[in-house]
Amino acid sequence: MGGHQTLQCFNVVQGITCLQTGKEIITGEVFVVHGQPSCRISASVQLYSGTRLDPNSRKGKLSEKAYLKQGKTQQHDGTKITTYKIKFSVELDFGIPGAFVITNEHKHKFFLQAATLQVPAYKKIQFYCKSWIYPFTKTKTNRLFFSNTFYLPNQTPEALAELRKKELASLKGDGTRERKEWERLYDYDYYNDLGNPDKGQEHMRPILGGTNSYPYPRRGRTGRPHSSQDPRTESRPVKFNLDIYVPPDEQLSPKKLSELIENSVQAIVHFPIPEALSSKQESDSFESFDEINNIFSRHKKQEVEGWMAEKLKDLVSDDLFKEIREASKKDPIKFPLPKIIEDNELAWKDDEEFARQMLAGVNPTVIKGLEVFPPQSRNGVWSSIEASHIQHNLDGLTVNEAMNQWRILILDHHDYLLPFLDRINTNGICVYASRTLLFLRDDHTLKLLAIELSLPDSSADTEINRVFLPATQGTEAALWLLAKAHVAVNDSAYHQLISHWLNTHAAVEPFIIATRRQLSVMHPIHRLLDPHFKDTMHINALSRSIIINSGGILENILFTRDISMELSSAIYRDWRFDEQGLPADLIKRGLALEDPDRPSGVYLLLEDYPYGADGLEIWTAINTWVRDFCSLFYTNDNSVRSDVELQTWWSEIKNVGHGDKRNETWWYPMTTLMDLIEALTTLIWIASALHASVNFGHYAYAGYPPNRPTLCRKFIPEEGTLEFADFLKDPDRYYLKMLPTRIEMTIGVALIKVLSHHTLDEVYIGQDPSPEWTDNEEVQQRFEKFRENLQKVERKILARNRDPKLKNRKGPAKIPYKNLYPDTSNIGHAKGITGKGIPNSISI
């Protein structure tokens, strides 16, 4: 709930024992954020004893009802928090409260932030709730909350054991009927909501997940009615709206949702709408690089009227249309220049900068060591790159010597893409599958050696290959720039669909669902993971509505068009959870060697690899924190094996959440404490640092479309053709006509601006201990150590960025690498496009 996510709860009235009546008075406070601006709360609370069992119910003793009253409202970080006093009169043998139930007897929902209780001669009992409380008339049940005390299942007090089971059971959906807004139900479904057959055949899409043809992680179930044209596909709203179901506790706060909408509307009004409204365009391409630069500083208002207004009305909900229209009437906002052209507007053309971005750009997770020269396809076809193409560029080494020294690297977008090209290269799309070879210089920068662009041939065992070599002058230099653009196009689509969407957003959602369904909120691992799941399910649901769906943003701007998600399914075949952690990933890509004497367990072969170097520091800090946390609750391997909730959780992730991978042998067996630590470290790494590294650098690099184009509309012309003659007349004009259209480019920039934006309620890794941990001083001490370790990493990152010997930290574009700078001190101070900060969760 915006600024109140980290609200701490104190100022509690002391409890009183009344000897005259034989009763004990328990007092406390309840902290509420109203769902409606002016509504009054009508709610009752009952306490469950955590230490005294009712022999009849087999649950803790239950108090009489107390009602919320004497509400006092104050502002907290711009949010109105109302504090209600509560008082309970209980028997002297009631014991210590361990839970409470609250019943909303009003017609409006409200957000329950927290509660505290004071029992005579006992410490304050805290409850961190952060949950919507819907009216009883809708839910037909009350809400149960446990105190902040952690318990493994076999350590649960007898008075709370039955409540623990009941609460978990209440969260498990049964796979039937459409979900209602107020239902707290977690269930799995396939990605059967990407297509929209009711709009026409062209909007049919494969169902991802559940078949050998299209394996995929599962998503949260909404249960919307089936499409009338395809009973396997879930129906979609006629207009885009924000009312897609996610369990209430996974929803964005109203403040964050409002900020997200505002950012999106501003970006839409500033970038694509002026292009759509302009009547001066003789061409659908930008005519010059200056014209592209000017889109960031438009000064003319472009009000949404006429045909554009009618078009938008058909596409979006009435509320969203109103916001867009009102925003279009305001004075234009000046957007910052993307960093890639801020200091030197030609830096993006530099070969060294092009190569550096593979190590420190927005997609630094793909480059790998070359294993065999020349490269060979999976089907056995050899690359057309020959030793004679690169020998002169290896700084005196032979190809064999360079290979033996791990100094030839490859950006490989060949094997996975080639089988799809016949389907992709239609309707004006012209792309290749690419291989880019690079040489690691003595100063640890990368030198481009060759680019191979491939098309499928009529025979499965042959390809049509063209090899391009670096050049700095004349026609060859212009052709080389075209070849680099085709490589960047490949990398852009892979980045959005795989590095970003699949490997973070989609991969994590099943873990969230399994955690809610199988780990009680009392479970320490649930409490550890909870901050790393904030907002992810809602962001993913919105993405399925407008970004990755048929006709969505990615299908409009990426060369993969309507096979975008199908391609991500094909690549998911090779996904392995045990390779998602950074050390394992670096070893797999041939960029690190195992070294048990190092804190990270690996030795980085590329000394100046900003993503790898900073990432290993972050990984080590997370791993130490997870190890410290788990050691407080698990004393040995047997305590892991005997944790029934944990074992069921892990089984559900393997067999249901990532069910298409259920038979893989690489899953951690979850029989040792080390299995648990590695699995949790990997999961937290994905949700925090990995996502930050591939998301928040978007605007700096991809905000300028020529640096990261998303599709090509022309192949590289062959000498002797009319196309080649056209190219020779004006290479820059040919280049711009090869790139996406004006409207495609500006839609892409608008999306990238929104993705790169930190919201004001962002919670960064290591920033604050979760309020859920307030009852455990040891956990807070270990977390403080984690924070201190991250602050040490911050100092190291800043020092590395100042080191002139580490040239890849800034490069020709002079962009300091801060994508993995934790930013632990940024507490509600900075929002927007900061280019740094690791949020706890995949929250945008």
Side-chain angles (χ1 to χ4, degrees):
M1 283 298 299
H4 55 72
Q5 286 288 351
T6 56
L7 176 68
Q8 301 293 327
C9 311
F10 300 104
N11 305 319
V12 178
V13 180
Q14 293 296 313
I16 303 166
T17 301
C18 185
L19 297 177
Q20 292 179 339
T21 62
K23 295 280 188 176
E24 187 170 73
I25 303 299
I26 298 175
T27 59
E29 294 175 327
V30 173
F31 299 84
V32 164
V33 179
H34 292 281
Q36 300 292 327
S38 60
C39 84
R40 297 182 62 185
I41 294 296
S42 176
S44 62
V45 178
Q46 288 178 279
L47 305 181
Y48 274 108
S49 175
T51 56
R52 296 288 189 270
L53 188 70
D54 182 329
N56 296 319
S57 68
R58 304 303 301 168
K59 302 172 186 174
K61 287 189 172 186
L62 186 63
S63 76
E64 297 293 325
K65 288 184 178 181
Y67 289 87
L68 301 190
K69 52 188 177 180
Q70 300 177 19
K72 184 179 180 182
T73 301
Q74 293 180 318
Q75 287 276 351
H76 184 88
D77 289 344
T79 301
K80 288 184 178 179
I81 308 290
T82 302
T83 303
Y84 292 91
K85 305 288 185 182
I86 49 173
K87 183 167 68 174
F88 301 88
S89 176
V90 299
E91 301 295 330
L92 291 177
D93 66 347
F94 181 81
I96 306 301
F100 71 81
V101 288
I102 186 167
T103 305
N104 182 355
E105 300 173 6
H106 199 56
K107 62 182 179 180
H108 295 297
K109 67 180 180 180
F110 61 84
F111 191 86
L112 179 61
Q113 177 67 20
T116 59
L117 296 171
Q118 186 68 54
V119 180
Y122 191 74
K123 66 179 182 179
K124 179 173 56 184
I125 303 169
Q126 301 199 57
F127 299 78
Y128 185 57
C129 307
K130 61 178 182 64
S131 188
W132 287 103
I133 310 299
Y134 281 84
F136 184 84
T137 54
K138 291 185 175 180
T139 64
K140 309 303 181 189
T141 187
N142 49 34
R143 279 295 309 276
L144 175 69
F145 293 95
F146 295 101
S147 74
N148 291 355
T149 307
F150 301 0
Y151 296 110
L152 291 177
N154 61 4
Q155 298 167 347
T156 310
E158 187 179 9
L160 299 178
E162 190 60 32
L163 290 171
R164 180 174 185 148
K165 292 177 185 176
K166 180 183 176 184
E167 170 69 2
L168 264 183
S170 73
L171 297 172
K172 296 173 184 174
D174 60 5
T176 64
R177 66 185 178 76
E178 184 173 2
R179 297 286 173 255
K180 306 299 183 186
E181 174 195 349
W182 53 85
E183 292 181 317
R184 294 171 61 242
L185 292 174
Y186 293 83
D187 211 347
Y188 300 93
D189 211 339
Y190 305 125
Y191 277 72
N192 63 349
D193 62 343
L194 300 177
N196 193 356
D198 293 345
K199 282 184 71 174
Q201 186 77 15
E202 69 275 15
H203 285 282
M204 293 193 73
R205 298 291 180 270
I207 293 168
L208 305 186
T211 64
N212 291 330
S213 300
Y214 302 110
Y216 219 64
R218 304 300 186 258
R219 66 171 178 91
R221 185 180 182 278
T222 63
R224 287 183 300 199
H226 293 299
S227 159
S228 60
Q229 297 298 313
D230 180 3
R232 301 170 305 155
T233 299
E234 197 172 87
S235 63
R236 300 180 62 86
V238 175
K239 296 182 179 182
F240 169 69
N241 63 63
L242 303 172
D243 295 331
I244 186 169
Y245 172 82
V246 289
D249 293 348
E250 309 302 331
Q251 293 173 8
L252 301 177
S253 71
K255 183 184 288 187
K256 179 163 184 172
L257 185 58
S258 176
E259 190 176 342
L260 179 60
I261 292 169
E262 181 184 4
N263 295 338
S264 302
V265 168
Q266 287 174 355
I268 291 167
V269 168
H270 186 89
F271 292 111
I273 283 183
E275 295 304 324
L277 290 174
S278 175
S279 59
K280 299 177 182 178
Q281 298 169 14
E282 296 177 2
S283 167
D284 63 357
S285 302
F286 283 102
E287 295 297 312
S288 68
F289 293 111
D290 285 342
E291 196 177 6
I292 297 175
N293 296 353
N294 289 338
I295 68 173
F296 300 99
S297 56
R298 302 185 199 270
H299 299 296
K300 183 181 177 183
K301 276 192 281 191
Q302 295 275 8
E303 293 189 24
V304 174
E305 302 289 354
W307 68 268
M308 173 60 74
E310 295 304 315
K311 181 77 171 174
L312 277 173
K313 274 185 185 178
D314 292 338
L315 294 175
V316 303
S317 66
D318 292 344
D319 289 343
L320 193 53
F321 171 75
K322 183 178 178 182
E323 292 207 39
I324 293 173
R325 194 167 187 177
E326 289 301 314
S328 75
K329 297 176 181 177
K330 297 177 181 178
D331 290 334
I333 295 172
K334 186 174 181 180
F335 284 82
L337 281 176
K339 293 289 185 183
I340 188 66
I341 58 169
E342 185 181 68
D343 187 78
N344 176 0
E345 64 181 27
L346 296 179
W348 65 275
K349 290 185 175 182
D350 189 289
D351 282 2
E352 184 179 322
E353 176 61 29
F354 184 82
R356 184 194 75 90
Q357 289 180 34
M358 301 178 198
L359 301 175
V362 73
N363 193 29
T365 63
V366 181
I367 191 170
K368 60 185 180 180
L370 183 65
E371 296 179 4
V372 177
F373 184 86
Q376 186 179 26
S377 302
R378 287 180 180 177
N379 63 0
V381 178
W382 291 98
S383 165
S384 297
I385 300 175
E386 300 174 0
S388 60
H389 288 132
I390 66 172
Q391 182 73 63
H392 64 286
N393 247 336
L394 300 179
D395 292 0
L397 299 178
T398 66
V399 172
N400 284 338
E401 287 170 338
M403 288 290 292
N404 291 336
Q405 294 178 29
W406 298 303
R407 292 179 71 173
I408 300 182
L409 292 86
I410 183 170
L411 185 73
D412 194 346
H413 292 297
H414 182 277
D415 285 5
Y416 74 86
L417 190 52
L418 196 71
F420 289 93
L421 286 185
D422 283 337
R423 293 171 58 194
I424 289 171
N425 286 331
T426 59
N427 298 322
I429 299 296
C430 303
V431 296
Y432 305 91
S434 66
R435 292 185 177 110
T436 305
L437 296 191
L438 307 101
F439 176 69
L440 181 64
R441 294 185 175 111
D442 289 340
D443 66 358
H444 306 291
T445 60
L446 295 180
K447 179 196 295 185
L448 288 168
L449 295 175
I451 291 172
E452 180 184 56
L453 302 179
S454 305
L455 292 171
D457 203 354
S458 54
S459 171
D461 57 357
T462 59
E463 300 170 5
I464 302 170
N465 296 330
R466 295 180 69 184
V467 176
F468 296 86
L469 302 179
T472 57
Q473 293 182 337
T475 301
E476 294 304 313
L479 289 171
W480 177 242
L481 186 64
L482 298 185
K484 290 197 296 181
H486 275 277
V487 172
V489 163
N490 284 179
D491 200 58
S492 293
Y494 189 95
H495 166 244
Q496 294 293 4
L497 295 172
I498 312 304
S499 303
H500 186 200
W501 170 258
L502 174 63
N503 289 347
T504 64
H505 286 260
V508 166
E509 185 158 352
F511 287 88
I512 300 173
I513 300 169
T515 300
R516 305 309 192 206
R517 285 167 51 93
Q518 302 298 349
L519 295 181
S520 166
V521 292
M522 307 169 79
H523 198 293
I525 302 305
H526 188 293
R527 298 275 172 87
L528 171 69
L529 291 175
D530 186 59
H532 302 289
F533 294 158
K534 177 178 178 282
D535 299 339
T536 303
M537 286 188 70
H538 200 171
I539 291 294
N540 285 3
L542 293 174
S543 297
R544 299 197 311 274
S545 298
I546 194 171
I547 296 179
I548 64 172
N549 58 301
S550 68
I553 294 175
L554 291 190
E555 286 196 3
N556 276 285
I557 65 172
L558 297 182
F559 73 85
T560 44
R561 295 301 201 207
D562 60 353
I563 69 162
S564 294
M565 294 302 289
E566 183 181 340
L567 179 63
S568 75
S569 168
I571 293 175
Y572 178 66
R573 291 180 184 281
D574 296 325
W575 182 89
R576 294 177 51 153
F577 180 70
D578 65 328
E579 293 177 346
Q580 301 307 299
L582 183 58
D585 170 57
L586 292 170
I587 290 171
K588 177 187 177 183
R589 290 192 283 128
L591 302 180
L593 299 174
E594 287 190 41
D595 185 349
D597 294 331
R598 292 177 181 263
S600 65
V602 298
Y603 168 69
L604 197 59
L605 293 172
L606 276 68
E607 181 180 327
D608 188 10
Y609 181 9
Y611 166 75
D614 295 359
L616 286 174
E617 301 276 7
I618 300 294
W619 170 272
T620 302
I622 294 171
N623 184 255
T624 302
W625 156 237
V626 170
R627 188 184 304 272
D628 287 348
F629 182 93
C630 290
S631 66
L632 294 174
F633 304 97
Y634 297 96
T635 55
N636 51 44
D637 293 342
N638 186 57
S639 59
V640 172
R641 290 191 292 269
S642 62
D643 184 338
V644 292
E645 286 183 7
L646 184 75
Q647 294 301 324
T648 306
W649 170 74
W650 191 242
S651 176
E652 185 166 289
I653 288 166
K654 293 189 300 180
N655 294 305
V656 185
H658 281 279
D660 298 330
K661 300 284 185 178
R662 64 171 61 86
N663 296 320
E664 302 287 359
T665 58
W666 43 255
W667 286 103
Y668 295 112
M670 204 54 70
T671 55
T672 66
L673 182 55
M674 185 57 66
D675 287 343
L676 178 61
I677 291 168
E678 286 300 304
L680 294 175
T681 303
T682 300
L683 181 54
I684 293 172
W685 161 261
I686 295 170
S688 58
L690 179 59
H691 178 259
S693 71
V694 297
N695 184 69
F696 293 104
H698 260 114
Y699 194 77
Y701 295 100
Y704 184 63
N707 184 58
R708 300 281 297 174
T710 55
L711 61 84
C712 282
R713 296 184 290 155
K714 291 177 179 290
F715 291 114
I716 298 181
E718 300 270 7
E719 194 166 355
T721 64
L722 289 175
E723 280 274 290
F724 195 80
D726 187 39
F727 159 73
L728 289 177
K729 288 178 188 175
D730 190 340
D732 277 356
R733 187 168 184 271
Y734 188 94
Y735 182 90
L736 290 168
K737 283 185 171 294
M738 186 180 77
L739 297 188
T741 65
R742 305 169 75 103
I743 192 70
E744 288 164 344
M745 274 197 195
T746 50
I747 289 172
V749 174
L751 173 67
I752 283 158
K753 189 271 176 188
V754 173
L755 293 178
S756 304
H757 190 103
H758 286 293
T759 56
L760 193 59
D761 76 340
E762 205 82 90
V763 182
Y764 297 95
I765 191 168
Q767 192 172 70
D768 271 327
S770 170
E772 298 170 88
W773 305 338
T774 51
D775 274 17
N776 195 308
E777 193 172 322
E778 286 185 292
V779 169
Q780 294 192 71
Q781 289 172 355
R782 305 290 173 95
F783 185 84
E784 185 58 34
K785 173 184 169 185
F786 178 44
R787 191 212 314 258
E788 290 171 359
N789 285 340
L790 289 174
Q791 289 170 345
K792 290 177 184 175
V793 174
E794 290 177 347
R795 291 192 288 272
K796 283 185 180 181
I797 289 172
L798 294 177
R800 287 169 178 164
N801 285 345
R802 291 192 298 267
D803 189 341
K805 295 192 296 294
L806 300 177
K807 297 182 179 180
N808 295 326
R809 302 296 303 193
K810 293 182 179 178
K814 298 182 181 178
I815 306 174
Y817 187 72
K818 291 186 177 181
N819 289 353
L820 284 172
Y821 182 85
D823 211 13
T824 55
S825 62
N826 181 10
I827 303 177
H829 296 308
K831 67 173 186 175
I833 300 171
T834 66
K836 62 180 180 179
I838 301 176
N840 269 328
S841 62
I842 301 166
S843 58
I844 190 66

